[in-house]
Amino acid sequence: GDGKRYQFRIRAKKKDYYSYIQYFETRGEWEEISLTLADFYPTFRGRKLNLPNYSSDSLEEVGFLIGNKRQESFQLLIDSIRLE
């Protein structure tokens, strides 16, 4: 990471209009970041939805977002993503 805050986004189904998200901070060096799937909560256009958290039944899409409303450079290098 580059010391910035990112959002990890997942979709259970590609057709879903919402994503499940969780934020994580980077320190500017190689690091291992662990996120618990059950802690991902549903959002749509920045608003938290009144739906249950991610259930782990299906996973069709993953993504990363930096949304700090500033035009700036960023760098997030990813070696691997794994589910345990």
Side-chain angles (χ1 to χ4, degrees), residues 22-74:
Q22 196 171 150
Y23 288 93
F24 65 94
E25 305 283 338
T26 61
R27 296 187 310 241
E29 59 191 46
W30 278 106
E31 58 190 304
E32 184 172 314
I33 297 172
S34 297
L35 303 173
T36 304
L37 287 174
D39 292 340
F40 280 77
Y41 58 91
T43 66
F44 180 68
R45 295 188 177 167
R47 293 191 175 105
K48 188 172 181 180
L49 301 177
N50 189 21
L51 295 169
N53 282 5
Y54 181 64
S55 67
S56 304
D57 291 338
S58 173
L59 178 71
E60 292 188 3
E61 188 174 280
V62 299
F64 295 90
L65 174 73
I66 182 169
N68 57 10
K69 298 182 181 181
R70 284 182 276 184
Q71 186 174 350
E72 62 183 347
S73 61
F74 65 92

